[in-house]
Amino acid sequence: MELRAIERTDRGKNRLNAALDIYRRTILPEAQNPESQILYWIDHSNEALADEFRCFALQRGNDVSGYLQYSYFREEHIFFFEYLCIQDPKRTGLVPSDALDDIEDYLAQNYRPGFTIAFEVAQKKFHDDEWKSDKKLIKYFTRLGFRTVEFKYRYPILQSYDGATSYPADLMVMLPAQRTTVTASEMRTILRCIYFKHYLRWDRPFLVPDAFALRERLINDLYSEQVATIRDDDTFGTFGDDRRASRPRFLNQLPTVREIVDRFFSPKMPRLVVVIAVLLALTWGLKRIDSLWMFTPLILAASLLYCLAENTKETRKLFVIILARLRSGRQRS
């Protein structure tokens, strides 16, 4: 499985169309954003904003198996997975969790550790007009290590203002350090990010001022309604698979520049210091005798000595190449 970024709508159209096709098939109609809006934000994802908006196709070989769309709120260090759609047309059911492994690697290598991931699983309306959790989808994401927050969460309506202005959903999270409890402060922060920094910001380019003012009032009312149920000393438990939730995640981080430098130079530094000292001494001596043109073969000689000292496959190959060049130079002369 491979995570392929979607950053422009005029490139990789087959990948984009396949990913959006999975999005259309797997997301409930009332939870879908218009695709024209998704395409707009893809083309504007590289603008200089405080937060990030990213889209990816989950690809296995030439086949697209999923679509990931998330916002990253930099100041709060929170990811909101707007859509995580995983479906392999060649297999029945949901695809294995190796898709999440690639997502984990990408987040670990591109963001500082200690972040929170949150996303919604929209509830389904049954014939008795009762909203119920999507147990199959929740069970799948639970197996991936996500946990459902014990909170009556609602997300704002997306398409129109006819009827209800919000719908129920299950809020799922993956907390840092394998924590399983959300504090009152964290819950308010998550809600504020989702409502204002995702939903309200998303709609701004597509609404005239009056319509945007209506949308802003709707979001404000929903946020006020949700946080009114949260007391300062509240904590919100989560339920899921304790064994999977306790597994350390996001460990595949790229080393820092200092670690790379230390790893590369530490075992070789004594030899490098000796070679550099010899070259500096020779440079000083050659300047005195006005024979700086002789410095070139001395550099080659020092390189040969260094290759012999290292005695690795790569340095032995370099040694042979240098000798071959020296021989060809003598033959031409």
Side-chain angles (χ1 to χ4, degrees), residues 247-259:
R247 180 175 73 86
R249 297 182 179 275
F250 308 104
L251 301 178
N252 190 17
Q253 300 176 9
L254 290 177
T256 64
V257 173
R258 181 177 179 179
E259 290 173 338

Side-chain angles (χ1 to χ4, degrees), residues 179-325:
R179 289 172 38 228
T180 58
T181 302
V182 181
T183 66
S185 175
E186 287 175 325
M187 180 59 73
R188 292 192 191 98
T189 300
I190 290 172
L191 292 175
R192 186 177 69 252
C193 287
I194 294 175
Y195 288 160
F196 295 104
K197 303 187 81 174
H198 167 61
Y199 282 109
L200 193 59
R201 187 186 74 176
W202 178 282
D203 291 327
R204 184 183 294 273
F206 316 114
L207 299 176
V208 298
D210 289 345
F212 182 77
L214 176 62
R215 180 66 169 171
E216 187 173 22
R217 187 163 59 251
L218 183 151
I219 297 291
N220 273 318
D221 291 345
L222 180 58
Y223 176 73
S224 299
E225 176 186 321
Q226 292 272 273
V227 299
T229 64
I230 303 174
R231 299 178 303 179
D232 290 341
D233 59 348
D234 276 344
T235 57
F236 300 90
T238 61
F239 56 90
D241 189 322
D242 293 335
R243 180 176 58 85
R244 286 186 170 89
S246 63
R247 180 175 73 86
R249 297 182 179 275
F250 308 104
L251 301 178
N252 190 17
Q253 300 176 9
L254 290 177
T256 64
V257 173
R258 181 177 179 179
E259 290 173 338
I260 294 174
V261 171
D262 288 343
R263 188 182 303 171
F264 182 78
F265 286 109
S266 292
K268 306 176 183 180
M269 188 58 71
R271 297 167 191 164
L272 287 174
V273 169
V274 171
V275 171
I276 291 171
V278 171
L279 291 175
L280 288 174
L282 289 172
T283 303
W284 180 78
L286 289 171
K287 282 184 178 179
R288 291 187 62 186
I289 62 175
D290 197 25
S291 300
L292 195 58
W293 61 271
M294 294 181 60
F295 192 54
T296 301
L298 288 173
I299 292 177
L300 294 175
S303 301
L304 290 173
L305 290 174
Y306 179 76
C307 292
L308 290 174
E310 283 295 302
N311 195 27
T312 64
K313 180 180 179 181
E314 289 76 15
T315 56
R316 287 195 295 270
K317 186 183 296 184
L318 180 60
F319 181 85
V320 172
I321 293 172
I322 294 174
L323 283 180
R325 292 297 175 87

Side-chain angles (χ1 to χ4, degrees), residues 44-56:
H44 290 79
S45 61
N46 292 323
E47 293 181 353
L49 299 173
D51 301 319
E52 293 183 18
F53 171 81
R54 303 297 307 275
C55 291
F56 298 86

Side-chain angles (χ1 to χ4, degrees), residues 3 11 22 27-28 33 42 85 114 137 139 146 148 177 184 217 233-234 237-238 280 304:
L3 202 63
R11 293 182 181 177
I22 293 175
I27 300 298
L28 295 175
N33 276 301
I42 288 175
C85 323
L137 201 53
K139 182 179 180 181
F146 291 97
T148 306
R217 187 163 59 251
D233 59 348
D234 276 344
T238 61
L280 288 174
L304 290 173

Side-chain angles (χ1 to χ4, degrees), residues 35-237:
E35 288 186 25
S36 60
Q37 296 182 5
I38 294 177
L39 298 177
Y40 170 89
W41 278 110
I42 288 175
D43 284 331
H44 290 79
S45 61
N46 292 323
E47 293 181 353
L49 299 173
D51 301 319
E52 293 183 18
F53 171 81
R54 303 297 307 275
C55 291
F56 298 86
L58 298 169
Q59 195 162 331
R60 190 189 303 276
N62 294 324
D63 298 323
V64 175
S65 301
Y67 173 68
L68 169 64
Q69 175 181 312
Y70 70 72
S71 289
Y72 171 61
F73 312 117
R74 193 179 307 277
E75 181 179 352
E76 295 82 4
H77 203 29
I78 292 175
F79 288 92
F80 177 53
F81 281 14
E82 295 137 23
Y83 301 112
L84 177 53
C85 323
I86 306 174
Q87 192 176 70
D88 193 336
K90 295 183 178 179
R91 305 169 65 172
T92 58
L94 296 165
V95 300
S97 59
D98 59 348
L100 189 67
D101 293 339
D102 288 297
I103 296 173
E104 282 190 20
D105 289 346
Y106 181 86
L107 298 184
Q109 294 170 11
N110 290 276
Y111 300 90
R112 58 187 173 89
F115 49 75
T116 294
I117 301 175
F119 67 97
E120 311 157 339
V121 178
Q123 294 186 5
K124 294 181 175 181
K125 191 174 184 179
F126 288 82
H127 299 298
D128 55 1
D129 288 339
E130 183 179 357
W131 292 92
K132 296 181 181 180
S133 299
D134 189 337
K135 294 183 178 179
K136 180 181 178 182
L137 201 53
I138 289 177
K139 182 179 180 181
Y140 175 72
F141 287 120
T142 298
R143 293 205 313 268
L144 299 182
F146 291 97
R147 300 177 67 84
T148 306
V149 184
E150 295 177 331
F151 182 78
K152 292 183 178 180
Y153 174 79
R154 298 183 71 88
Y155 66 94
I157 191 171
L158 302 181
Q159 302 291 342
S160 68
Y161 296 104
D162 296 332
T165 56
S166 65
Y167 292 111
D170 290 282
L171 182 65
M172 302 194 74
V173 297
M174 184 178 290
L175 300 170
Q178 294 82 54
R179 289 172 38 228
T180 58
T181 302
V182 181
T183 66
S185 175
E186 287 175 325
M187 180 59 73
R188 292 192 191 98
T189 300
I190 290 172
L191 292 175
R192 186 177 69 252
C193 287
I194 294 175
Y195 288 160
F196 295 104
K197 303 187 81 174
H198 167 61
Y199 282 109
L200 193 59
R201 187 186 74 176
W202 178 282
D203 291 327
R204 184 183 294 273
F206 316 114
L207 299 176
V208 298
D210 289 345
F212 182 77
L214 176 62
R215 180 66 169 171
E216 187 173 22
R217 187 163 59 251
L218 183 151
I219 297 291
N220 273 318
D221 291 345
L222 180 58
Y223 176 73
S224 299
E225 176 186 321
Q226 292 272 273
V227 299
T229 64
I230 303 174
R231 299 178 303 179
D232 290 341
D233 59 348
D234 276 344
T235 57
F236 300 90

